[in-house]
Amino acid sequence: MKDATDNYYQKIKDDFLIEDQSLLRYGSIEDGGYFLKPETIANSSLLFSGGISSNLEFEYDLFRFNDTLQIIMVDPTVSGPKLILKGLARFFFKKPDKIRYLFNALIFNFLIRQARCKHLKLWLNKPQKILELAKDRLKPNDTILLKFDIEGGEYDFLDEITSNLNRFSALVFEFHDLHKHNKTVHEFINSCQSQFDLVYLGINPSGGFDGENRPKCIEITLERKVN
C-alpha cells in the first residue's frame, strides 16, 4: 500500500492550502488565468510577468484594474508583428480560436505602446535576476506582483524570491514537471510560510499526468498574510 505522501499534489494541498473566498480570477477562463485578491492588485506597484506567449489577457485585466500599475513582460518568443501575422494566418487556415488569438495580438500591440508597460525579449533563467530586471521601474518601498509561466525556468528563481520575500505582494506560478520537482515546490512554499499563505492550488491539465494520475503542472497563488 502506498503512503499518502506519495501523492505529492495532495500533500501540498493538505500541508499548506488555506482557501480564500475573496479570490477572483483574472485573465483567461482556462490556461493563462490566475486567482488573486482584488486588493492585492490595487496595492501592487509592479507586475513582473514572466512568460506571455500569445495570451495577454491576465496582463490586460491587471492593466485596466490598477491604472498606476507598472508592467514588465518578459518573453523572447513574441513580437507585435509576429503575433498579428499568426493571428491573421489562423483566419486564413481556419484554425480554432482565431478570434481570441487575434484579440490577444491586438492586446500585446496596445500594451507595449503604453508608458507604464515594458517588454523584455529575454529568456528567464540564470543568471537573470528579477529585482535587477525591474530596478528601473521600482522605488525602495514598491512591491512586485510576480507571475511566472516559463515552462520550467521558474526553478532558477526560487532562491532569489525566498531571499527577498518582503519585495513581493503576491506570487503566482505555474509549476511545471511537478513529478520531478515536487519536493522543491513543497520546500519553496514552506519557505514562504512566514509571510505568505497558499490561497489557491489548481491542476493545469494541459501539463499532463504521471503514471499514478498525479498532475505534472499546477497553478498556485501565494498571497501575503493578513496581520
Side-chain angles (χ1 to χ4, degrees):
M1 180 180 295
K2 289 184 176 294
D3 189 273
T5 57
D6 287 340
N7 189 332
Y8 46 74
Y9 175 79
Q10 188 64 42
K11 180 169 176 54
I12 292 172
K13 183 177 182 179
D14 292 343
D15 288 354
F16 302 117
L17 183 62
I18 300 173
E19 294 185 358
D20 191 320
Q21 300 302 315
S22 68
L23 299 177
L24 295 177
R25 189 173 180 90
Y26 298 88
S28 305
I29 295 174
E30 298 175 347
D31 191 21
Y34 304 95
F35 286 93
L36 284 163
K37 295 179 182 178
E39 57 266 32
T40 297
I41 301 170
N43 295 328
S44 296
S45 308
L46 180 142
L47 168 64
F48 189 98
S49 182
I52 53 175
S53 186
S54 60
N55 190 331
L56 282 295
E57 293 173 44
F58 177 77
E59 289 74 16
Y60 187 51
D61 276 354
L62 270 59
F63 175 86
R64 292 182 297 163
F65 189 94
N66 180 343
D67 60 10
T68 64
L69 185 70
Q70 299 285 316
I71 299 177
I72 296 178
M73 303 174 289
V74 189
D75 194 321
T77 67
V78 297
S79 69
K82 182 188 293 186
L83 287 178
I84 291 290
L85 288 173
K86 285 185 175 181
L88 293 174
R90 295 184 87 84
F91 270 96
F92 182 78
F93 292 107
K94 299 181 179 180
K95 291 186 176 182
D97 293 330
K98 47 187 176 290
I99 297 293
R100 181 178 176 186
Y101 198 101
L102 188 56
F103 174 65
N104 275 280
L106 294 173
I107 289 175
F108 177 78
N109 280 275
F110 168 77
L111 288 178
I112 61 174
R113 286 167 172 76
Q114 308 308 306
R116 56 189 175 98
C117 297
K118 182 178 182 179
H119 175 222
L120 300 177
K121 294 183 179 180
L122 296 173
W123 291 107
L124 276 173
N125 48 35
K126 291 179 179 178
Q128 302 289 355
K129 297 290 185 183
I130 299 165
L131 295 179
E132 183 68 22
L133 293 174
K135 67 179 182 180
D136 64 337
R137 301 239 168 180
L138 287 174
K139 299 182 181 69
N141 295 322
D142 284 351
T143 56
I144 301 169
L145 198 170
L146 178 67
K147 185 218 82 175
F148 262 164
D149 180 7
I150 50 177
E151 308 303 320
E154 59 270 18
Y155 297 103
D156 286 347
F157 295 90
L158 301 187
D159 287 342
E160 180 189 4
I161 294 167
T162 54
S163 297
N164 296 277
L165 287 177
N166 61 309
R167 297 309 309 270
F168 298 98
S169 58
L171 305 167
V172 177
F173 278 88
E174 275 195 13
F175 277 114
H176 300 81
D177 299 320
L178 190 67
H179 58 306
K180 299 178 182 178
H181 302 292
N182 57 86
K183 290 183 179 179
T184 300
V185 173
H186 192 281
E187 290 169 2
F188 169 70
I189 297 172
N190 189 55
S191 296
C192 296
Q193 283 288 285
S194 62
Q195 298 186 45
F196 291 85
D197 289 324
L198 177 68
V199 295
Y200 177 77
L201 171 66
I203 296 171
N204 187 328
S206 66
F209 297 83
D210 68 8
E212 300 293 331
N213 202 37
R214 297 169 296 194
K216 293 182 180 180
C217 181
I218 60 171
E219 299 173 358
I220 73 167
T221 298
L222 291 162
E223 287 268 9
R224 185 162 289 282
K225 288 180 181 290
V226 178
N227 294 327

